Amino acid sequence: MTVKNYKSTSFIFIVLFLLISSPWNSFGQTQSNKYDIVLAGFTIGSMQADKTTTAKGIDYQIHSKVEFWFFGKIHVEFLQKAHYENGHLMHATTNSDSNRGNFLTTVTWNQDHYDVDANSYKFHNEEPINQPIKASTATLYFHEPKDGDVLISENFGMLTKVREISKGVYEIDVNGNMNRFHYEGGVLQKVILENNIKNYSIKLKVD
């Protein structure tokens, strides 16, 4: 191999290395966090939260499954997706499948507002939202909020305000139920969710 050819090959190798290791290659990468769902000290299900960055924006997905016995077998599967572009929510869907039925909620940006069609057990909401949204419950699994932040509950299509009650601990009101998020070093460790039957928690799995 001549010196000229050797230099050309080396140059091509360096260019390829820079392309592979450049920030552009971060597109399409997915960050995942896994959680246990705990009720009265017993693990009753699991949850996985995914954040995927692509050239089109950022996609969040929350997928959970719960099964336990409470005067009969209880089954709940929950799939929530939210798509952001330039820091703003563009579209969100929530699918829930349970003993109480199957429900779908959609929130879609439409020129200057969000069209809302929210459905869950004994709940329906079509009230539009007339302001841009920069955060939602899905983003809380990857980003620690600030006191006073306004975000949307994708499931109910309703806005709520974040309240910091102590360092790293935040509360939001979701359709009359208080959910509490606990962070350490910016990482979500635990969520305590208020329920009309019994409160339950979502805890980060540690490998």
Side-chain angles (χ1 to χ4, degrees), residues 33-66:
N33 296 328
K34 295 182 179 181
Y35 300 85
D36 287 321
I37 301 175
V38 180
L39 175 68
F42 296 95
T43 298
I44 60 171
S46 62
M47 171 185 284
Q48 179 165 319
D50 297 323
K51 175 187 176 183
T52 302
T53 302
T54 69
K56 295 182 179 180
I58 299 178
D59 292 294
Y60 296 89
Q61 177 174 290
I62 311 296
H63 186 203
S64 64
K65 289 184 179 181
V66 167

Side-chain angles (χ1 to χ4, degrees), residues 113-124:
H113 68 279
Y114 291 93
D115 292 325
V116 174
D117 184 6
N119 302 278
S120 60
Y121 182 65
K122 294 185 178 180
F123 178 86
H124 180 70

Side-chain angles (χ1 to χ4, degrees), residues 18 20 24 28 48 119 124 128 132 134 141 156 195:
L18 290 174
I20 292 171
W24 299 335
Q48 179 165 319
N119 302 278
H124 180 70
K134 297 183 179 180
Y141 288 86
F156 295 100
N195 185 272

